Structure formats: C-alpha cells, structure tokens
C-alpha cells in the first residue's frame, strides 16, 4: 500500500518535472519572440498547437527528438533580427547549437550566457553589432567546439580563459575592435581567425611592440630633423659670438 503510494507520487513528480521542462522550451521561444525585434516577421511563431513536438516544426527550431519538446538547436541567421541577446535563452537549457549570425543584434555578450546554455557546443554570433568585451566567463561553456564571434564591434583583449576551452576546433574573432596580446594557446588557429583587429598582436599575427615600417620612417625623420636643428643652432651661436660680438 505504502509502496504503491510512493510509486504514484514518484510518477506524479517525474511527470510534473517533464511538463516543467516541456513548458520551459516553449517559454524560451516565447521570450525570444517577445524581446527580439523582427521587422520581417521571421519569428512569427505560433504556440496555439500545444501537442508535444509541435514547437519542433517552428522556423529555425530543431528538437532532440520529435516526441518531446527539448530544443537541440536554434538557427536564426540572416533574419534581420535586432535587439539584445534575450535572457529567456536560459529556458532552452538543452540547447547545443545557437546560430544568430548575420543579423543586427547589439549590446554585449551576456556574462551569464554559459549559465543559460551550459551544454552549448556550437555558438555563432558573427556578423552582428555586438559590442563590449568577450566575457572571461565564456570558459564555463566547456563543451564549446565552435565559437564564431567575427565581424562585430567587440573590444578589449581576448581573455586568457578562451584558451582554456580545450575542445575548441573552430574559432574566430576576426573583424572586431580587439586589442592586446593573443593568448599563446590560441596561436594554433590561423591568422584569418584574428584578422581585422587593429590593436591585436602576438602569434599567429605580428609580434607585439615591434616597430612597423611607418614607425621607422618617423624615427629617421625625427633624427634628421634633430641633427639639422642642432647644426642650425650651433651655427647661430657661433655667428653670435664670433661674428656679431667682434664687430
Ligand atoms: C499539432 O502538432 C502536431 C505535432 O507536430 C501535428 O501532428 C498536428 O497536426 C498539429 N495540429 C495542428 C492543428 O496543426
Ligand atoms: C525519442 O523518444 C521516444 C520516447 O521517449 C523514444 O522511444 C525514442 O527512442 C527517442 N528517439 C531518439 C532518437 O532518441
């Protein structure tokens, strides 16, 4: 009798946990839809069909399994979306792949992004208007295989923590406003991964602090001007003492 009661409560509990998680992924999409600006109506997702698996057919949404509502990937690239990365992403807890590339998203990369999406394997935020630093907390996305942040307005240096993402196979921060030294463990990625950041230096780009051709030109010009200046000054002093004073 008791056992049966316990079993029944366990069943009820697991059922309620399941419904919570099913609702979570729906709320995640609703939150994205409500917070992101979508002038072309590409996210005109409808949630009226409450059958399990119905959200898996929405534009850009892929589920782990059509028989439940857990979203594995969101591909919302080239949709003219603007606004900030929505906090409701934390309700898409089983997400492994997020592609928001080629939109007009702005604001910074949320410090808590990896708390929201701890299992993310592929993250592509390229070709947007994201600004601010790359948060060191990116290291908490420890399953990241692919991290593409190219062509935004990210600034500051590349945090050392990025080099601790040891599963990283694809990486790019090209075309941002980053500066400082590239963490040495990231030198295994090609130059193209770092191109287009005027302040960035270190392998695989040029050495930091080395004089460029332009710098050398300025140094030579300054030297020549300085020498000419001393000669003129010397002549003037000589003229003053030996020619003018003697008159
Ligand atoms: C609701 O979604 C289910 C599962 O995707 C689908 O089989 C069904 O046809 C949908 N119902 C309506 C009314 O669209
Ligand atoms: C999908 O879910 C059903 C029911 O939970 C399960 O029987 C099936 O094996 C799952 N399929 C995959 C590919 O995980």
């Amino acid at each position: 009798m008791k056992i049966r009661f316990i079993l029944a409560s366990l069943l009820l509990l697991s059922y309620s946990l399941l419904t919570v998680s099913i609702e979570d992924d729906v709320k995640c999409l609703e939150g994205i839809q409500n917070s992101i600006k979508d002038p072309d109506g590409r996210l005109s997702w409808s949630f009226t069909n409450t059958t399990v698996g119905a959200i898996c057919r929405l534009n850009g949404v892929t589920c782990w399994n059509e028989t439940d509502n857990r979203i594995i990937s969101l591909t919302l690239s080239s949709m003219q979306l603007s606004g900030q990365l929505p906090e409701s992403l934390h309700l898409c807890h089983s997400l492994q792949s997020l592609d928001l590339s080629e939109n007009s998203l702005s604001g910074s990369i949320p410090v808590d992004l990896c708390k929201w999406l701890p299992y993310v394997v592929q993250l592509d935020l390229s070709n947007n208007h994201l600004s601010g630093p790359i948060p060191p907390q990116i290291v908490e996305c420890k399953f990241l295989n692919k991290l593409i942040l190219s062509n935004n307005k990210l600034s500051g240096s590349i945090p050392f923590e990025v080099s601790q993402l040891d599963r990283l196979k694809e990486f790019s921060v090209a075309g941002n406003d980053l500066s400082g030294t590239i963490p040495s463990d990231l030198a295994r990625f090609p130059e193209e991964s770092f191109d287009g950041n005027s302040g960035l230096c270190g392998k695989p780009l040029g050495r930091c602090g080395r004089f460029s051709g332009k710098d050398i030109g300025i140094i030579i010009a300054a030297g020549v001007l300085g020498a000419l200046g001393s000669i003129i000054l010397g002549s003037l002093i000589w003229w003053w003492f030996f020619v003018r004073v003697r008159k």
Side-chain angles (χ1 to χ4, degrees), residues 218-234:
I218 289 170
I219 289 165
I220 291 173
V224 168
L225 274 181
L228 272 179
S230 326
I231 290 168
I232 291 169
L233 192 68

Side-chain angles (χ1 to χ4, degrees), residues 57-104:
R57 299 180 174 206
L58 300 177
N59 193 15
V61 179
T62 311
C63 294
W64 281 83
N65 188 331
E66 298 279 322
T67 61
D68 66 30
N69 268 6
R70 285 180 312 136
I71 299 170
I72 188 171
S73 99
L74 270 177
T75 307
L76 310 177
S77 87
S78 308
M79 291 188 174
Q80 314 246 0
L81 307 178
S82 63
Q84 306 205 345
L85 293 189
E87 191 177 345
S88 52
L89 279 171
H90 81 273
L91 294 164
C92 281
H93 207 66
S94 338
L95 202 67
Q96 288 208 336
S97 171
L98 179 63
D99 183 355
L100 296 172
S101 62
E102 317 250 355
N103 284 297
S104 300

Side-chain angles (χ1 to χ4, degrees), residues 132-145:
I134 299 173
Q137 290 86 345
I138 199 84
V139 70
E140 291 165 26
C141 291
K142 57 174 182 249
F143 299 109
L144 270 181
N145 255 297

Side-chain angles (χ1 to χ4, degrees), residues 32-178:
I32 292 172
Q33 191 185 47
N34 291 335
S35 68
I36 280 188
K37 291 191 199 80
D38 171 31
D40 286 359
R42 302 290 293 278
L43 303 184
S44 51
W45 293 327
S46 158
F47 302 102
T48 49
N49 187 340
T50 51
T51 316
V52 171
I55 62 164
C56 307
R57 299 180 174 206
L58 300 177
N59 193 15
V61 179
T62 311
C63 294
W64 281 83
N65 188 331
E66 298 279 322
T67 61
D68 66 30
N69 268 6
R70 285 180 312 136
I71 299 170
I72 188 171
S73 99
L74 270 177
T75 307
L76 310 177
S77 87
S78 308
M79 291 188 174
Q80 314 246 0
L81 307 178
S82 63
Q84 306 205 345
L85 293 189
E87 191 177 345
S88 52
L89 279 171
H90 81 273
L91 294 164
C92 281
H93 207 66
S94 338
L95 202 67
Q96 288 208 336
S97 171
L98 179 63
D99 183 355
L100 296 172
S101 62
E102 317 250 355
N103 284 297
S104 300
L105 298 170
S106 56
S108 52
I109 299 177
V111 167
D112 287 335
L113 186 65
C114 297
K115 288 208 173 75
W116 300 347
L117 305 174
Y119 307 113
V120 71
V121 174
Q122 305 189 325
L123 182 62
D124 190 344
L125 303 176
S126 63
N127 296 288
N128 279 289
H129 306 310
L130 298 172
S131 56
I134 299 173
Q137 290 86 345
I138 199 84
V139 70
E140 291 165 26
C141 291
K142 57 174 182 249
F143 299 109
L144 270 181
N145 255 297
K146 175 177 168 180
L147 177 61
I148 309 294
L149 303 174
S150 47
N151 300 314
N152 280 289
K153 295 174 185 164
L154 300 171
S155 55
S157 56
I158 301 176
F160 162 75
E161 284 80 356
V162 175
S163 62
Q164 293 177 317
L165 290 166
D166 48 13
R167 295 178 190 225
L168 213 52
K169 291 191 181 67
E170 272 183 82
F171 174 72
S172 179
V173 291
N176 281 288
D177 295 326
L178 296 167

